[in-house]
Every structure is written in structure tokens, then in C-alpha cells.
Amino acid sequence: MSKTKATLHVRSHPLEALVAATVGFFVGFAAVALFNVTAKTFKEAMGLDPVQVGLLVAMPNLSGSLLRIPFSAWVDTDGGRRPMLTLLGLALLGMLGLIALLLAYYPDGLTAGLYPVLLFLGFLSGCGIATFSVGISFVSYWFPQNRQGWALGTYAGVGNLAPGLFTFTQVATQPSSGSGD
């Protein structure tokens, strides 16, 4: 028997991997930020109590945190593309579901009966947070140790802009209360 040497053909470049992971994390984190900025709308329209609002806002964070470990481990076995795309697909499904729910039922059709649906959409949107650990593993693979600090800082810094931008956009588009406070 002869030994054959397996050859790995890489079809990408470190900068391409960094950009792809960063965009993925930005979009994934935006899915979670969408839930935070709409909580007040759901509270008012559905008459939610503070515990229900807290659970609604926490659901994406909970699912994203729980999914970080298995998806990061998946990167070690299969690379980052499939885990990132899976998480982004699920987060996008959660965001689109939330938008569809708002378009179909807001304001008068939002009832307490839709609360479990909101929680489920929050769970799906939370998959966007898990993209963080996938991207960390993915970006680390592509850069030598002496460049990882720069690459990971760029990845996390740009990716973490999403919640701030969503919050800023929401605050900037809300009408002023006119109370002079």
C-alpha cells in the first residue's frame, strides 16, 4: 500500500475571510438589536408586563449565548462557512418573521396570543449573536498570531456597531415628546 498525501486547496484570502465574517457578525447582531428596539412597541400594543418584556428582550441573548459553544466547535471540524450561513439564515428568518408579524398585525391585531410567536422569533434572531464565536474561530484561522489582534479587533469592533446603529436610528426617528424635559 502506498501512502498518498492529501492536498488542501484554499480558495480564499485572509482579508476576504475577515470581511465576510465581519459582515456576518454585523448582520447577525443587528437581528438581536431589532428585538431590543421594538420591545417598547410590543409592550404598548400587547399590554405586556415588565417580566414579559424582560423575557422577550432576553430570549435572543439567551439563545445566542447557548448556541455559541456548539457552533464554534462546528468551525473546528468543518470550517466557518456552514456554521456562519446556518446562523445567519436562522437569524434572518427571525428578523423577517418579526417584520411580517408587525406588518400583518400592528397595532390592533397584536394580542397576548402572539407572545409565544414573538419568543420563538426572538430565539431565532438570537442565532445572530452566536455568529460572534464562529467568526472569532474563523478569523483566527486565517491570520498568523502576530496579526490576530488586529484582525479580531477589526472583526469585533465593526460587528459590534450594529446595536448602536439600530438604537441611534430608533432614537433619531422617534418624534419629540415636546415636554421640554
Side-chain angles (χ1 to χ4, degrees):
M1 284 192 186
S2 68
K3 291 185 178 182
T4 57
K5 188 175 184 180
T7 304
L8 177 65
H9 296 285
V10 178
R11 300 178 308 196
S12 192
H13 184 271
L15 194 54
E16 290 173 5
L18 176 61
V19 169
T22 303
V23 169
F25 179 44
F26 183 89
V27 170
F29 215 170
V32 174
L34 185 62
F35 261 80
N36 292 338
V37 299
T38 57
K40 183 178 178 184
T41 302
F42 288 120
K43 178 184 182 211
E44 293 168 357
M46 298 172 76
L48 301 177
D49 64 45
V51 172
Q52 289 174 312
V53 173
L55 184 59
L56 181 63
V57 171
M59 184 57 75
N61 296 305
L62 177 64
S63 66
S65 296
L66 292 174
L67 294 174
R68 282 180 179 186
I69 294 171
F71 276 86
S72 184
W74 188 8
V75 173
D76 290 341
T77 60
D78 288 342
R81 183 177 298 195
R82 284 187 188 140
M84 182 68 82
L85 291 176
T86 299
L87 288 169
L88 286 175
L90 292 170
L92 182 63
L93 194 62
M95 281 194 331
L96 292 175
L98 180 64
I99 292 168
L101 191 74
L102 285 171
L103 290 175
Y105 294 104
Y106 183 77
D108 298 328
L110 286 176
T111 63
L114 291 173
Y115 184 71
V117 174
L118 280 177
L119 289 177
F120 178 69
L121 293 173
F123 181 88
L124 289 176
S125 293
C127 292
I129 293 177
T131 60
F132 178 75
S133 62
V134 169
I136 289 290
S137 300
F138 186 59
V139 170
S140 294
Y141 169 80
W142 281 100
F143 287 87
Q145 191 170 11
N146 65 344
R147 299 280 294 154
Q148 283 181 3
W150 171 83
L152 294 173
T154 302
Y155 166 74
V158 174
N160 277 304
L161 288 174
L165 290 176
F166 263 79
T167 303
F168 177 76
T169 303
Q170 183 209 21
V171 170
T173 58
Q174 284 185 345
S176 175
S177 64
S179 64
D181 292 334

